[in-house]
Amino acid sequence: MAGDDMTAGHAPTAERIAAAATALGVRPGGVLLVHSSLSSMGHVDGGADTVIEGLLQALGPAGTLLMPALSYATVNRDHTHFDRQATPSCVGAIAEAFRLRGGTLRSGSPTHSVCATGPLAAQLVADHHLDTTPVGPRSPLRKVRDLDGQLMFLGCGLGPNTSMHGVEELVGPPYLFGEDVTYSLQLGAERHDVTCRRHKFAGWAQRYERVAELLTGDDLRVGKVLDAQAHLLEVRRMWNCAEAALRHDAFTFVSPAPA
């Protein structure tokens, strides 16, 4: 089922984004995790902040918005310090603006943190730093599944689906894990040393767009938000279908990397 293109007319840009998200199927009062590309949307008055405002309008005051704040580009086995407040994310302008926005909370994973705002934000991010894998049982990504949340890809296609790492961690395909790394976490006034197993993927390319082949009906909706093609997925259904596929074939969502 495709959402309508609601970008025409003279409504303020944030309201147009909210209308398009609602037409696509975003639930008011729901839990929504968004991966995004600002450049895909064309000119946006106010830039990333306007996109965030539009998404919040679609969710309403009872809704909770999440975005990835991944930091694997700067926090790794050679540079192991993570500061929840200061370490930047590496997944685009909208996600970074969301991280810096007043009232946003961030989880404490050194490499795969997630930001959230809304009534369930504190619950979602509270204990991620206690996991020993990037997308473990305390990750906000898994909690979005348990809360029957939705997942939006805003102009970036289905490839950058960090939630799929959580599915892979349930199954443990042979390409997934590398060595353990001990990280130093600065979580406000608290400091923790934690040991976490890294993802590896040596010799393999991620093919998470293949999850679309497993979803039917309203489990996957496609529409436009400004100039961007947007995909909206039902998270629990995605996890269940992907886990079943991985247990049947551990290499369902990868292909050999080019030499």
Side-chain angles (χ1 to χ4, degrees):
M1 174 179 172
D4 297 329
D5 183 351
M6 300 291 293
T7 63
H10 303 287
T13 303
E15 293 181 13
R16 290 157 52 200
I17 292 169
T22 299
L24 190 63
V26 170
R27 290 189 286 271
V31 177
L32 178 67
L33 170 66
V34 178
H35 296 264
S36 59
S37 166
L38 182 59
S39 63
S40 72
M41 302 182 72
H43 175 72
V44 180
D45 290 336
D49 292 331
T50 298
V51 178
I52 295 165
E53 178 59 31
L55 295 170
L56 290 171
Q57 286 185 25
L59 287 166
T64 299
L65 177 64
L66 303 94
M67 294 189 188
L70 313 186
S71 53
Y72 58 82
T74 54
V75 181
N76 48 55
R77 61 186 174 185
D78 298 317
H79 301 91
T80 59
H81 180 67
F82 171 79
D83 186 317
R84 183 163 59 189
Q85 181 175 352
T87 299
S89 64
C90 59
V91 283
I94 298 173
E96 180 65 356
F98 186 61
R99 181 185 76 84
L100 296 171
R101 186 178 182 272
T104 296
L105 304 179
R106 187 183 194 180
S107 72
S109 168
T111 57
H112 286 67
S113 65
V114 178
C115 286
T117 191
L120 299 178
Q123 169 187 333
L124 284 161
V125 308
D127 52 359
H128 194 185
H129 63 286
L130 300 177
D131 276 344
T132 57
T133 59
V135 191
R138 300 175 182 86
S139 168
L141 302 178
R142 194 176 298 193
K143 293 178 183 179
V144 169
R145 176 203 65 180
D146 298 339
L147 291 167
D148 288 321
Q150 295 177 298
L151 175 58
M152 177 185 281
F153 297 89
L154 186 53
C156 55
L158 295 171
N161 189 347
T162 309
S163 298
M164 288 294 295
H165 293 328
V167 180
E168 290 167 321
E169 289 186 14
L170 293 177
V171 178
Y175 57 79
L176 182 60
F177 286 118
E179 71 273 31
D180 289 346
V181 176
T182 299
Y183 299 94
S184 171
L185 309 184
Q186 191 69 47
L187 307 179
E190 300 179 10
R191 181 164 180 164
H192 299 266
D193 289 334
V194 300
T195 300
C196 188
R197 181 169 290 186
R198 296 178 66 246
H199 290 162
K200 187 176 182 182
F201 288 94
W204 297 96
Q206 298 167 6
R207 297 294 306 276
Y208 297 146
E209 73 280 0
R210 291 174 179 170
V211 77
E213 302 168 12
L214 308 176
L215 301 174
T216 60
D218 287 348
D219 293 334
L220 171 60
R221 306 182 187 197
V222 182
K224 294 293 290 294
V225 178
L226 302 186
D227 289 346
Q229 184 180 57
H231 299 78
L232 184 72
L233 285 69
E234 296 297 325
V235 174
R236 187 185 294 272
R237 180 64 175 160
M238 183 200 76
W239 277 66
N240 290 345
C241 291
E243 181 182 354
L246 268 180
R247 293 195 184 280
H248 176 72
D249 177 359
F251 297 94
T252 299
F253 300 109
V254 294
S255 61

